Amino acid sequence: MDAVRVALLREVLAGTEWVGATRRFAGTLRSSVVPHGGGLLLVGTEEYEPWHLAAHLVDEAAWSGTPELTPTLVRHRVREGDPAHLSTGLGRIEAARRGETLLVVAPDTPAQPPGAGLLERVHDARAAGATVLALGSGHGDLRALAHEALAVPQSPDLDLDMVQHLVSAAAGENAVPLARGRHRLRDRLSRLADQLTSPPPARW
């Protein structure tokens, strides 16, 4: 239902700054990772891991034919026995270098500010040449470290989850010219409608 949700969100938000703002941020993300063949690191705060954005970006990378959008999810706590794709710890940020992109997703709430340890690592990654993008948090230190930031205010009408849907969808659409991007979205909606309306498989 993600394609349907994004289309509805854009319709509801038409006339506001958010459709354009999320597309611009997604364009920055795409232009940062594609020329370098990937290298996207995605990290949240200690209390908030951006699981859904990671999954959306993986989907968009496949649908758009842009594997560079596939992120490495960096986690604050890695447990023994976690699968390989969930076993990247904060040390990966310390190893970030020029040509890599670090996307920090942080809810803008007093209870979940970016911790000092994360900010220090982000600072070191930027100093080493990595591109830093920040999504969600209006925290002054994080915004100062980011090359590009999109702050999401606390609002009953728009939340961080919605903005992540818009950003990930726009990142995939930017893979093709605008006209084809609209066509691609229509194709995805059509396929989804076919799946939802087709009869269940026969059971023998």
Side-chain angles (χ1 to χ4, degrees):
M1 292 295 290
D2 285 342
V4 174
R5 185 178 185 184
V6 168
L8 290 174
L9 278 173
R10 286 178 176 164
E11 183 175 345
V12 169
L13 295 171
T16 73
E17 64 177 317
W18 287 104
V19 175
T22 52
R23 281 186 164 139
R24 284 191 297 274
F25 187 84
T28 300
L29 171 61
R30 178 179 159 73
S31 64
S32 179
V33 299
V34 170
H36 297 287
L40 175 57
L41 306 175
L42 176 63
V43 67
T45 64
E46 189 170 357
E47 296 81 10
Y48 179 86
E49 285 192 320
W51 297 92
H52 287 138
L53 180 56
H56 295 326
L57 287 171
V58 169
D59 288 343
E60 290 297 336
W63 287 330
S64 67
T66 314
E68 297 88 351
L69 290 173
T70 302
T72 296
L73 180 62
V74 178
R75 306 183 65 199
H76 287 254
R77 290 178 295 275
V78 176
R79 296 183 294 257
E80 185 176 354
D82 282 342
H85 70 287
L86 297 177
S87 298
T88 302
L90 291 175
R92 181 62 182 86
I93 298 178
E94 298 171 7
R97 294 294 181 265
R98 185 175 303 278
E100 295 184 302
T101 300
L102 176 60
L103 173 55
V104 184
V105 181
D108 191 15
T109 64
Q112 298 181 4
L118 175 60
L119 291 173
E120 290 174 4
R121 288 181 170 91
V122 173
H123 175 273
D124 291 344
R126 173 166 177 149
T131 299
V132 177
L133 307 178
L135 177 61
S137 179
H139 189 277
D141 290 339
L142 180 56
R143 293 193 70 177
L145 289 172
H147 293 91
E148 184 80 18
L150 180 59
V152 182
Q154 298 182 57
S155 166
D157 301 318
L158 186 71
D159 59 24
L160 183 56
D161 181 61
M162 294 177 184
V163 172
Q164 289 178 80
H165 276 279
L166 294 171
V167 167
S168 58
E173 289 173 358
N174 284 342
V176 293
L178 184 59
R180 289 183 59 198
R182 289 195 297 266
H183 182 64
R184 182 179 297 272
L185 178 58
R186 287 197 301 270
D187 287 345
R188 285 165 53 190
L189 290 171
S190 176
R191 288 196 300 270
L192 179 61
D194 289 342
Q195 293 171 8
L196 294 175
T197 57
S198 61
R203 296 182 181 274
W204 303 97

